[in-house]
Amino acid sequence: MQARLAAVNVVSAVVDDGRSLSALQDVFDAVDPSRDRALAMELSYGVLRWRWQLDGIAHRLLSKPLRRRDRDVMLLIWVGIYQLLHMRIPPHAAVTETVNAVRAMDKEWAAGLVNACLRRFVRERDGLLAQADQADEQALSYPRWWLARLRRDWPAQWREIAEAGNRRAPMTLRTNKLRIEREQLSARLTEAGLSHALCAYSSDGIRLDEPVDVAKIPGFVDGSCSVQDEAAQLAPGLLDLGPDQRVLDACAAPGGKACHLAECSPRSQVVAVDIDAVRMRRVDENAARLGVALRSTVGDVAKPAQWWDGQLFDRMLLDAPCSASGVVRRHPDIKSLRRDEDISALAVTQQDLLENLWPLLKPGGILLYVTCSVFREENDAVVAHFLAGHPGAMEYPIDSQWGNKLAVGQQILPSEQMMDGFYFARLVKR
Amino acid sequence: MAILPILHFPDPRLRIKAQPVERVDDSVRKLVDDMLETMYEAPGIGLAAPQVNVSKRVIVIDISDDKSSPLCLINPEIIRRDGIEEMEEGCLSVPSIFEKVERARQVTVRFLDRDGKSVETAADELLAVCIQHEIDHLEGKLFVDYLSELKRQRIRKKLDKIRRRTM
């Protein structure tokens, strides 16, 4: 399939049908990998990232709205403007190829319209952009409710956070220290011609200068490393792991953090639980590749009766289901998929998980609450509420060089110190 | 009176910031008595409530050789520090480890006594060091925090070994 058509299909599936990018990999698989696949992905991710800006401009270019059954033509105009505005494709090539895609859609009649819109955009670009910049929603390309939340939660930093979410994320590796030292892995990457830098905060992290296919990373297949953002790599260090502990990773799939815990404390028993049986299989695959021992269990974390063996845990990691608003730079589809009312519902779930896991923790044990969200309703609000209702739970403050100290917990804002937007709160049981 | 179990480094409960005592009542006085007994029995010259898993701003001290000068400081606050001194310190929560730490040579401290009366007093040398060490506990801070990361790692390993031998 042609790259631009594939992009229209993907964007439509996300924006109109509410499907997630990760569920649409088969569309990309249908595109010729030697020529068009990378372009199809770039277009899809980029258009989803800039959707509100592109839509605003497209509306100004059309003299009258398109009919509903011509939604695909509208999406193709988004794809066209995206190439002209955010990519280094020569304008004549971008216009010609996009018009060709209309023909491939069997909508010959729209070829003239698309051609006219895109040419007008090229001519009047500065004026159209200035108009789009008038509205934050279009200039920054987020739904209105999202920006309202950011403004409320982060009055000083909200614009920066929004802008950071539109930038591309780096690719970061996590050394499997059971297999190799970070410096050795670094040397192997240099040999393979992959330029990189050692992470400052995760002692296992290596950040690549350019993302590459994992197949090209020496040591990936043999389990010397995994792909994981530096922020996500901070979890084990915050848990004060000792030898021979019982460690729970709740909501563990696909197992990145659970495997990291096992790599950091090989003599401990790491129990990984998740409700999703299919994604749980990925935990076992990852554990096998990395050569770590885990006990993986399928069950509802909020209902320990389904999976708990009755023995208390020394350490617990609760990587709670969340809006993922801190990782939109990696998953631009999230901006389209989330609704404002989802956030309060997620906060209820998060509260519920904390409530049900807390009794499984030993006195003197540590629970680390983690989200990849920047919305405070899911972060410090959840933990503060929990602490208020549980006199036996105390905050164990995080003393770190990274992130921002909140009344409870520590927040990394997206792109701050190059990391994803994560929230961490550490609790200890009296 | 009762002897209370003492938490040992690296127990995370030692890291919790303790809460101020709102009213000095019998339950606080009972805590002070238990803490003194626990300290004498250990034996030690100072003990802070967080070390016995009570998150309150209470410390007890006795630097005499014959249990003759028990002190109890509730909601203590250092209001003045002078000079610098280095002394070897130990801690009931970090057993059998002794290391040199630099602190103020003289401090003035304000606190409530066991009757809830506000008191201000100056201390120097061993007593000054002891007061600073115990007040650190109320902030979740341990004397090993003043040492290098490498030294702290070594202490962790050593304590692990001791624990395994005694288990």
Side-chain angles (χ1 to χ4, degrees):
Chain A
M1 200 196 306
Q2 213 238 46
R4 288 163 186 83
L5 280 187
V8 166
N9 288 343
V10 168
V11 171
S12 161
V14 172
V15 170
D16 299 326
D17 305 334
R19 298 182 60 198
S20 78
L21 269 173
S22 58
L24 292 164
Q25 290 307 309
D26 54 321
V27 181
F28 296 122
D29 291 343
V31 181
D32 181 354
S34 62
R35 297 178 48 229
D36 281 349
R37 189 178 293 169
L39 178 60
M41 293 186 79
E42 162 69 28
L43 291 170
S44 304
Y45 279 71
V47 168
L48 288 169
R49 192 168 278 140
W50 292 104
R51 169 189 170 186
W52 287 268
Q53 180 198 49
L54 301 170
D55 190 47
I57 295 172
H59 272 101
R60 284 185 205 100
L61 289 171
L62 290 163
S63 51
K64 62 174 198 283
L66 290 165
R67 288 170 302 183
R68 196 183 314 159
R69 67 164 185 258
D70 295 323
R71 176 72 170 166
D72 51 353
V73 176
M74 182 61 159
L75 298 185
L76 190 63
I77 294 173
W78 291 5
V79 171
I81 301 169
Y82 175 75
Q83 297 166 76
L84 294 167
L85 193 50
H86 297 283
M87 288 180 71
R88 264 175 277 163
I89 298 179
H92 63 273
V95 174
T96 310
E97 287 299 320
T98 308
V99 171
N100 285 343
V102 195
R103 301 209 164 92
M105 282 179 345
D106 259 348
K107 294 205 172 173
E108 188 71 37
W109 62 268
L113 174 76
V114 171
N115 187 46
C117 279
L118 296 182
R119 283 184 194 285
R120 192 176 142 214
F121 175 75
V122 174
R123 279 197 314 272
E124 300 175 17
R125 177 187 162 116
D126 293 346
L128 286 160
L129 273 182
Q131 271 180 301
D133 282 345
Q134 302 273 305
D136 285 333
E137 192 184 340
Q138 289 176 31
L140 296 165
S141 188
Y142 283 85
R144 192 168 299 155
W145 67 266
W146 190 301
L147 293 179
R149 262 183 194 277
L150 286 184
R151 265 191 216 107
R152 188 174 9 140
D153 288 355
W154 303 99
Q157 300 102 319
W158 71 273
R159 185 175 290 273
E160 232 169 281
I161 297 172
E163 284 168 355
N166 289 331
R167 268 178 245 133
R168 283 156 215 265
M171 184 173 188
T172 307
L173 306 180
R174 182 188 84 222
T175 315
N176 177 0
K177 49 180 167 262
L178 298 179
R179 292 266 160 93
I180 195 170
E181 302 264 321
R182 176 163 77 161
E183 282 61 30
Q184 278 173 281
L185 181 64
S186 165
R188 286 183 68 185
L189 292 171
T190 305
E191 248 168 67
L194 299 172
S195 54
H196 61 274
L198 303 184
C199 290
Y201 306 105
S202 163
S203 56
D204 302 323
I206 297 181
R207 191 176 290 111
L208 300 181
D209 292 349
E210 294 290 334
V212 291
D213 189 340
V214 287
K216 296 206 175 98
I217 296 172
F220 181 81
V221 177
D222 71 21
S224 297
C225 64
S226 305
V227 176
Q228 189 181 44
D229 189 75
E230 184 179 4
Q233 296 184 29
L234 298 172
L238 294 172
L239 276 168
D240 266 357
L241 295 168
D244 306 308
Q245 289 182 323
R246 262 173 67 80
V247 183
L248 174 71
D249 184 353
C251 313
K257 293 190 192 76
C259 291
H260 195 199
L261 290 169
E263 290 164 12
C264 291
S265 188
R267 283 178 43 200
S268 286
Q269 183 189 31
V270 178
V271 179
V273 189
D274 200 284
I275 197 166
D276 187 333
V278 177
R279 290 180 72 223
M280 206 60 203
R281 246 179 278 144
R282 301 244 333 260
V283 179
D284 296 326
E285 287 164 19
N286 274 325
R289 181 177 63 83
L290 297 165
V292 296
L294 287 179
R295 227 188 71 208
S296 66
T297 318
V298 176
D300 182 347
V301 171
K303 299 195 175 80
Q306 291 181 4
W307 53 267
W308 186 41
D309 61 8
Q311 285 188 68
L312 297 173
F313 291 98
D314 298 284
R315 299 289 183 263
M316 299 206 283
L317 172 65
L318 172 55
D319 187 5
C322 71
S323 62
S325 57
V327 294
V328 275
R329 60 179 193 164
R330 289 185 197 282
H331 306 284
D333 52 332
I334 288 165
K335 290 184 187 182
S336 294
L337 299 174
R338 290 294 169 265
R339 298 283 173 269
D340 195 13
E341 56 272 23
D342 295 346
I343 309 304
S344 301
L346 283 162
V348 170
T349 305
Q350 290 152 358
Q351 201 61 249
D352 193 42
L353 289 168
L354 264 178
E355 199 72 46
N356 285 293
L357 283 179
W358 189 250
L360 279 54
L361 187 64
K362 264 187 204 165
I366 300 174
L367 181 148
L368 185 67
Y369 176 83
V370 185
T371 73
C372 53
S373 174
V374 291
F375 296 147
R376 299 184 63 172
E377 189 175 351
E378 301 178 88
N379 295 346
D380 49 325
V382 167
V383 180
H385 182 263
F386 179 78
L387 285 171
H390 295 78
M394 310 285 286
E395 186 187 14
Y396 173 9
I398 294 168
D399 183 20
S400 68
Q401 302 291 310
W402 44 263
N404 306 269
K405 195 156 225 54
L406 302 183
V408 188
Q410 194 87 359
Q411 175 86 53
I412 303 173
L413 296 173
S415 293
E416 206 173 24
Q417 290 135 339
M418 299 179 80
M419 294 191 267
D420 279 344
F422 269 65
Y423 172 78
F424 296 95
R426 186 162 60 174
L427 306 181
V428 52
K429 194 179 211 169
R430 293 266 304 282
Chain B
M1 296 229 279
I3 290 177
L4 308 168
I6 296 176
L7 302 179
H8 289 154
F9 172 78
D11 193 305
R13 287 171 289 188
L14 292 168
R15 300 306 193 169
I16 301 169
K17 192 176 149 109
Q19 300 299 309
V21 171
E22 278 173 25
R23 210 162 52 89
V24 181
D25 55 15
D26 284 347
S27 75
V28 174
R29 279 185 281 273
K30 161 120 176 45
L31 170 66
V32 167
D33 291 341
D34 288 348
M35 283 172 62
L36 278 168
E37 194 184 355
T38 306
M39 176 183 81
Y40 288 134
E41 137 82 29
I45 58 167
L47 187 70
Q51 292 179 275
V52 291
N53 198 20
V54 176
S55 199
K56 289 204 176 114
R57 301 187 82 82
V58 176
I59 63 183
V60 296
I61 292 175
D62 189 343
I63 56 166
S64 72
D65 294 331
D66 53 359
K67 308 184 184 179
S68 62
S69 344
L71 282 174
C72 122
L73 287 68
I74 299 166
N75 298 345
E77 248 181 297
I78 292 177
I79 52 181
R80 197 193 152 111
R81 295 163 204 268
D82 291 294
I84 297 177
E85 186 168 49
E86 200 180 50
M87 222 185 254
E88 192 162 78
E89 295 185 22
C91 179
L92 293 178
S93 290
V94 195
S96 63
I97 305 290
F98 298 90
E99 294 283 349
K100 279 195 171 154
V101 178
E102 207 173 81
R103 301 202 187 256
R105 213 182 67 76
Q106 193 174 51
V107 295
T108 305
V109 63
R110 183 188 295 152
F111 59 95
L112 302 178
D113 66 11
R114 58 180 296 141
D115 301 317
K117 209 165 62 195
S118 182
V119 181
E120 216 177 281
T121 182
D124 58 8
E125 299 185 352
L126 180 58
L127 183 58
V129 166
C130 192
I131 288 172
Q132 294 172 76
H133 175 117
E134 300 309 329
I135 288 180
D136 271 355
H137 277 301
L138 307 182
E139 298 300 318
K141 206 166 168 157
L142 302 175
F143 83 102
V144 293
D145 297 349
Y146 296 99
L147 311 176
S148 69
E149 178 59 31
L150 195 74
K151 256 190 178 158
R152 216 162 32 236
Q153 287 295 345
R154 233 181 292 148
I155 291 173
R156 260 174 194 254
K157 286 214 177 97
K158 189 168 166 195
L159 290 177
D160 258 342
K161 235 184 253 164
I162 294 172
R163 205 161 312 139
R164 232 168 291 149
R165 233 182 294 136
T166 52
M167 260 188 334

